[in-house]
Amino acid sequence: MTLTAPAMRNLREVIHSQAIQPTFQPVVRLEDGVVKAYEALARFDKAHFGSPADAFAAALAAGVGVDLELLALERAFAYLDEMPAGAWLSANLSVEALLDPRVHTTLLEHSSRGIAVELTEHTQVHDYPSLVKVTEELRSAGILIAVDDAGAGFASLSHILQLRPDIIKLDITLTRGVDTDPVRMALARSLVGFAKDIGAMLIAEGIETVAEHEKLQSLGVTLGQGYFMARPGPLPDRADIVAPRTAVSG
């Protein structure tokens, strides 16, 4: 990606003014809609970037990808005091960001606040020992480790095998149309069993219809997120909801 002068100016302005507005999409228990977590998503002024993907791609091209990820993480953590009781906050980070000492320190500083890290890397990792060391330290401090986009490609499956995550997120490409596609049904059912065997939670992403919701629930998927339940938005007023650790232990 070749970064234009306007894009570079916009990037500098975003980082300098910390112009990221987090929005939050709930993860709910499919049987009753109880909110178990919120995924923090970075949003940018349309005058700066057309989409979050454009912003992070520009930052990566400019050599400040981790800087922008760290800023997004810090902006999300600014809302920890507004999290409903019992729900954990999930933040997206690339492998490169997770291995950065600044990011690592920021996560550990908030480790007692009920947080999870979603690995969003889509490329092959060449230094798994370093990554495993970091994730184990974070997990020991009480931070949940999630692998995003499970089933979408090589990277997510490698992450699962190497990192033994606490959370596996079923990719939207497998969720979409799961109610009518026997192959998607079979894979979702298999991942339900796999997650149970390794003691991980399975979250289906991108649920958009009542039929998908009902089929996933019938296959044994207990947690999900998507437009059918709620679009990303501001956090609700604080409420007493079931703690996520109950689901892990039970």
Side-chain angles (χ1 to χ4, degrees):
M1 176 181 179
T2 301
L3 201 61
T4 64
M8 180 60 80
R9 286 196 299 271
N10 288 338
L11 187 58
R12 284 198 296 264
E13 183 176 344
V14 166
I15 293 176
H16 177 72
S17 61
Q18 300 189 343
I20 296 179
Q21 178 57 53
T23 188
F24 304 88
Q25 186 172 30
V27 173
V28 307
R29 195 162 59 196
L30 296 184
E31 65 176 349
D32 55 13
V34 169
V35 176
K36 308 294 284 182
Y38 285 91
E39 179 182 357
L41 302 166
R43 294 293 181 259
F44 300 83
D45 191 320
K46 293 291 186 182
H48 291 140
F49 293 101
S51 71
D54 291 340
F56 286 108
L60 186 63
V64 292
V66 172
D67 297 84
L68 190 62
E69 288 190 63
L70 176 58
L71 175 58
L73 182 69
E74 291 170 339
R75 293 288 294 120
F77 282 176
Y79 287 81
L80 278 169
D81 287 340
E82 299 180 27
M83 286 288 293
W88 78 86
L89 176 65
S90 188
N92 295 283
L93 289 171
S94 69
V95 170
E96 291 81 3
L98 197 58
L99 293 174
D100 186 281
R102 297 169 299 165
V103 174
H104 191 203
T105 298
T106 299
L107 291 169
L108 290 177
E109 288 174 348
H110 296 83
S111 61
S112 64
R113 306 295 300 279
I115 60 175
V117 171
E118 292 188 27
L119 289 178
T120 59
E121 187 66 48
H122 295 278
T123 58
Q124 195 168 353
V125 176
H126 298 287
D127 187 9
Y128 266 113
S130 295
L131 182 59
V132 170
K133 181 179 179 181
V134 168
T135 56
E136 285 301 314
E137 184 176 351
L138 295 177
R139 184 181 284 114
S140 296
I143 297 172
L144 297 171
I145 303 300
V147 169
D148 204 6
D149 303 330
F154 174 83
S156 63
L157 294 179
S158 295
H159 288 350
I160 291 170
L161 290 173
Q162 296 286 341
L163 304 179
R164 314 297 170 92
D166 305 291
I167 302 167
I168 298 172
K169 301 195 76 173
L170 186 64
D171 187 67
I172 188 174
T173 59
L174 302 180
T175 299
R176 185 170 294 144
V178 69
D179 54 303
T180 59
D181 186 347
V183 175
R184 284 180 167 82
M185 292 180 204
L187 183 52
R189 187 183 295 111
S190 297
L191 284 171
V192 167
F194 176 78
K196 183 178 180 180
D197 286 346
I198 68 170
M201 291 178 281
L202 181 68
I203 300 172
E205 296 184 283
I207 301 174
E208 295 186 352
T209 69
V210 63
E212 291 169 352
H213 181 282
E214 292 177 350
K215 175 55 65 175
L216 287 164
Q217 190 175 350
S218 74
L219 293 172
V221 178
T222 58
L223 299 173
Q225 67 184 112
Y227 287 179
F228 175 70
M229 287 84 76
R231 291 175 177 267
L235 288 173
D237 293 335
R238 290 180 61 87
D240 187 18
I241 59 176
V242 179
R245 294 293 182 177
T246 303
V248 178
S249 59

